Amino acid sequence: MMKTFDQQRDIMIREHLQGRGISDQSVLKAMREVPREEFVSALYVESSYGDHPLPIAEGQTISQPYIVAYMTEALELSPTARVLEIGTGSGYATAVLSRIVKTVYSVERLSGLAQSARQRLDTFGYANIVIHEGDGTLGWPEHAPYDAIVVTAGAPDVPHPLLEQLAIGGRLIVPVGKSCEVQELVRVRRVSEHDYRTEYLCGVRFVPLIGAAGWSGKGPH
Ligand code: SAM
């Protein structure tokens, strides 16, 4: 018999997340609370809990659950944190973040995706999320500084405006790479006004971050 989405979600938590080392209880709880099947297009809903990304509208993707959990854990979040997310996409990772922190500010460059994510998140009553349509490579200066910033698209370099909008002690997670084949997931920690510490976490594969401090409209070659 076909497993229910609740059963599939439990398997995802146990095998794909805990089984690969995700141990932050707040992240596991959030991943258990958010119904991923509501963020996936109708065509792929039966694959909602597969261990892989899925296509969404406008040629974009909803990230692999493990990667969402890994990036969220790497942000080292607390309940009082104010987080900036670049690349709202379906709003799934936005929803996960919102279950852990005080406020999520999320920027999406494609207005169709921003609008549908906003509508979807409104129906869940997730009230601590603000979505903005625009070029997230420039951050969202009005609400800076942020305790954590996560970029969910691959950048050619760490976008400078995001470094400036990070609080001292804050963490920025961003995929960085010179081609669309693969990026390195980078964590930058702002240790003082002018000092940043960079760590390389793992290899990843994301759609391109397109904007003034990202790739041009054509993406990487
Ligand atoms: N986390 C999302 C989810 O759970 O569905 C997946 C995000 S998808 C991998 C990357 C998103 O980044 C796409 O929706 C894309 O349009 C967006 N994006 C690319 N460049 C951007 C930019 N400069 N500013 C804001 N969003 C951008």
Side-chain angles (χ1 to χ4, degrees):
M1 209 175 75
M2 180 79 186
K3 291 191 167 56
T4 65
F5 286 128
D6 284 355
Q7 290 170 326
Q8 292 182 48
R9 199 176 310 114
D10 281 346
I11 293 170
M12 171 191 86
I13 302 281
R14 211 172 46 245
E15 295 182 5
H16 304 162
L17 308 189
Q18 290 178 298
R20 286 204 195 103
I22 303 295
S23 61
D24 183 325
Q25 290 304 315
S26 67
V27 175
L28 294 168
K29 182 168 178 285
M31 296 288 291
R32 193 171 279 118
E33 275 176 24
V34 178
R36 185 171 166 88
E37 66 275 16
E38 301 291 343
F39 294 81
V40 167
S41 63
L43 207 54
Y44 299 102
V45 78
E46 295 303 334
S47 307
S48 297
Y49 292 94
D51 186 24
H52 45 72
L54 287 168
I56 56 171
E58 313 223 21
Q60 304 303 313
T61 53
I62 173 171
S63 304
Q64 178 191 13
Y66 170 68
I67 287 294
V68 174
Y70 183 87
M71 291 171 85
T72 306
E73 186 171 71
L75 287 169
E76 299 173 1
L77 300 172
S78 73
T80 56
R82 298 166 66 259
V83 178
L84 175 67
E85 177 192 46
I86 308 303
T88 316
S90 69
Y92 175 68
T94 324
V96 170
L97 289 166
S98 79
R99 301 302 82 205
I100 303 171
V101 303
K102 184 156 184 257
T103 313
V104 185
Y105 300 91
S106 187
V107 183
E108 171 56 57
R109 67 179 276 272
L110 298 172
S111 72
L113 287 180
Q115 282 172 32
S116 56
R118 197 179 282 126
Q119 279 169 12
R120 192 175 290 124
L121 293 163
D122 280 351
T123 63
F124 291 121
Y126 293 165
N128 59 341
I129 295 172
V130 198
I131 295 177
H132 170 68
E133 292 170 34
D135 177 5
T137 67
L138 303 175
W140 193 349
E142 286 86 340
H143 300 288
Y146 301 98
D147 302 301
I149 302 178
V150 60
V151 182
T152 69
D157 292 297
V158 178
H160 211 268
L162 301 184
L163 293 173
E164 288 169 353
Q165 291 172 36
L166 205 53
I168 292 172
R171 289 80 52 204
L172 163 65
I173 303 283
V174 52
V176 177
K178 294 294 177 203
S179 83
C180 59
E181 290 306 308
V182 71
Q183 301 98 19
E184 195 83 41
L185 196 61
V186 173
R187 174 165 56 196
V188 184
R189 203 179 289 274
R190 186 171 197 173
V191 290
S192 68
E193 182 68 26
H194 299 295
D195 293 327
Y196 296 85
R197 204 174 73 215
T198 302
E199 295 163 80
Y200 296 88
L201 302 180
C202 61
V204 285
R205 191 181 175 125
F206 277 91
V207 296
L209 181 76
I210 295 170
W215 297 100
S216 71
K218 291 193 188 78
H221 302 292

